[in-house]
Amino acid sequence: MSNKNLSKPRLLFISRKWPPAIGGMETYSFELYSGLLTEYNIKLLALPGKSNGKPPTLLSLGLFIAKVTLFCLLYGPKFDRVIFTDTLLFPAALAHSLVNRKAKRISVLHGLDLVYSNRKGFRSFIYGFVLKFIVGIRKIFFKIVTNSRSTQSIAISKGFDNTLIIVPSLPNQGFTSNLPKVFTKPDKYSASKHPIFYFGRLIPRKGSLWFAKEVLPNLPDEVSFFVSGTINDPAYAEELFSCPQVVYLGTIPGNEIVNYIRYSSLVVMPNIKIPESTDREGFGLVAIEASSVGCRLIASDLEGLSDAVKDGVTGFQVSPNDPVKWINKIRELLSQSQKEKEEWVRSSATATREIYSQSLMVNKFSDLLESESN
């Protein structure tokens, strides 16, 4: 260990959401860890995902929780600062609190942590009791960090009264990390005067089908709706692809998706409210990825998306489930001059990289870890 590392404060960082698994929680954990390395001498305990991008098995998760709980019992007194990247790691946090009561323990609380118990099935039913137990021991954490106002509001309704918001940062990995100096117009766009681009999961709450049926038919004939994403629901996808002016692009590699974003007339994230839905948008990482590339982004002012888009700065917010407002905003933006579009693309990309910088996220966590109150 170098002398430089010895001079840094110790930090224990525990995560069960880790690459190569793919997801917002994994990205959040890795970006936070990477940023904190400049400030702390970190002991990392992480459970890697599978090489195909999927999360580890339940058996692997159980063994990992047992391992980190034992570690905290044996070595907890050495670490006065600990970050748990989600609350399901509570057995380790509880063990650490027994051997180091005055330590700063911070947990991250994600939207899925809070709504999973609302789903059908035995696991969800059992998780409901687990969540109530975590609420009961919440004071072992100095603070519980949520990634958006939406997630915080749910957390408070569940009984978590020691929360605060720290939004995720723009990833330093993936397609936003190494943008080309010159963008190339996709061949698929060649016949479209106004390509509107959507990329993400093809599921009802993301709103791509709603947009195709309620908004697209009321836009100028020169508009085409280009869709990219994995097919989770074949019936939903089939109905979407059958809509006029919809073009399905399949799954696009990161080095190509930046060109679709940059050369689009608009990028849309038309999430909708669905009654009795058991899933929510915790933050909306795709929104800051898109606006950082440079585009005119329109997103629903809904759930975590509300914190991922700064209206009039990094993108534009429109009421969800309101086709008239969507149509009016799209027509307004399509009527702008090329100069106005180019100026917006530059300014919004710059603003996104400043507002959602890794350094800001890291500084907020560091301030928590080093604050005097406990």
Side-chain angles (χ1 to χ4, degrees):
M1 186 179 295
S2 67
N3 290 332
K4 187 176 181 181
N5 280 337
L6 288 173
S7 65
K8 297 177 182 178
R10 279 189 176 193
L11 171 65
L12 179 59
F13 192 101
I14 305 178
S15 178
R16 71 176 181 96
K17 292 289 186 176
W18 203 252
I22 298 172
M25 294 168 71
E26 286 80 2
T27 300
Y28 190 101
S29 299
F30 185 78
E31 292 296 325
L32 177 59
Y33 165 76
S34 300
L36 288 169
L37 277 173
T38 61
E39 305 292 330
Y40 294 92
N41 176 17
I42 301 179
K43 171 64 178 179
L44 173 66
L45 300 177
L47 176 62
K50 296 180 181 179
S51 58
N52 61 1
K54 293 184 177 181
T57 63
L58 281 177
L59 176 60
S60 297
L61 174 59
L63 291 174
F64 176 75
I65 292 177
K67 171 188 171 183
V68 296
T69 300
L70 181 60
F71 182 93
C72 286
L73 279 173
L74 296 177
Y75 302 105
K78 296 182 179 180
F79 296 94
D80 293 331
R81 303 167 183 84
V82 190
I83 291 178
F84 303 88
T85 62
D86 74 281
T87 51
L88 196 58
L89 296 167
F90 73 90
L94 191 57
H96 188 266
S97 70
L98 295 175
V99 297
N100 195 338
R101 291 184 175 276
K102 294 183 178 181
K104 288 281 178 63
R105 283 173 293 277
I106 296 174
S107 178
V108 179
L109 186 59
H110 300 273
L112 186 59
D113 296 337
L114 295 163
V115 301
Y116 185 76
S117 60
N118 298 335
R119 296 181 178 181
K120 295 179 180 179
F122 181 71
R123 289 182 187 176
S124 303
F125 177 74
I126 295 299
Y127 183 76
F129 290 99
V130 173
L131 185 62
K132 289 180 181 179
F133 180 78
I134 296 172
V135 171
I137 62 168
R138 65 193 180 280
K139 294 302 183 181
I140 65 173
F141 299 109
F142 169 59
K143 286 293 181 182
I144 294 177
V145 174
T146 62
N147 59 4
S148 68
R149 286 171 292 172
S150 173
T151 303
Q152 185 186 48
S153 68
I154 304 172
I156 292 172
S157 72
K158 296 286 187 179
F160 292 99
D161 54 7
N162 53 339
T163 65
L164 82 164
I165 302 166
I166 301 180
V167 298
S169 66
L170 181 69
N172 284 323
Q173 54 184 328
F175 68 83
T176 62
S177 61
N178 189 24
L179 297 180
K181 293 182 179 179
V182 179
F183 292 87
T184 304
K185 185 175 182 177
D187 292 337
K188 296 283 188 179
Y189 279 3
S190 59
S192 178
K193 182 179 179 181
H194 292 305
I196 294 180
F197 185 50
Y198 167 90
F199 67 109
R201 286 186 291 162
L202 303 181
I203 56 176
R205 73 171 180 83
K206 294 285 189 178
S208 55
L209 178 58
W210 173 86
F211 183 89
K213 294 175 72 174
E214 303 293 333
V215 178
L216 192 58
N218 299 290
L219 297 178
D221 293 338
E222 298 87 357
V223 170
S224 297
F225 186 34
F226 292 86
V227 175
S228 172
T230 54
I231 298 175
N232 301 88
D233 183 340
Y236 179 89
E238 183 179 356
E239 187 176 359
L240 171 62
F241 303 157
S242 67
C243 294
Q245 297 171 278
V246 172
V247 180
Y248 180 54
L249 302 169
T251 302
I252 305 172
N255 63 328
E256 295 179 22
I257 205 167
V258 295
N259 293 314
Y260 282 92
I261 293 171
R262 192 60 176 261
Y263 271 94
S264 64
S265 293
L266 301 166
V267 174
V268 295
M269 297 188 67
N271 290 36
I272 57 175
K273 293 180 180 178
I274 298 179
E276 308 302 322
S277 174
T278 58
D279 197 7
R280 294 176 70 94
E281 192 75 62
F283 176 68
L285 192 63
V286 170
I288 64 174
E289 289 178 323
S291 58
S292 73
V293 173
C295 67
R296 290 184 296 190
L297 171 69
I298 307 179
S300 295
D301 186 7
L302 179 66
E303 299 168 357
L305 276 179
S306 299
D307 285 310
V309 178
K310 301 298 181 184
D311 190 36
V313 180
T314 67
F316 303 94
Q317 293 180 335
V318 180
S319 301
N321 301 73
D322 192 333
V324 174
K325 289 186 177 179
W326 273 87
I327 293 163
N328 290 341
K329 174 56 72 173
I330 290 172
R331 286 183 175 274
E332 173 194 330
L333 293 177
L334 292 182
S335 68
Q336 290 181 336
S337 67
Q338 183 63 25
K339 181 181 179 182
E340 288 175 311
K341 177 186 176 182
E342 290 173 356
E343 288 176 349
W344 169 266
V345 164
R346 285 194 295 269
S347 66
S348 62
T350 300
T352 299
R353 291 180 178 273
E354 291 175 351
I355 294 170
Y356 300 100
S357 70
Q358 186 189 61
S359 61
L360 282 178
M361 178 177 72
V362 168
N363 287 342
K364 289 178 180 179
F365 270 92
S366 294
D367 289 345
L368 277 181
L369 290 167
E370 303 308 321
S371 60
E372 293 183 2
S373 59
N374 206 340

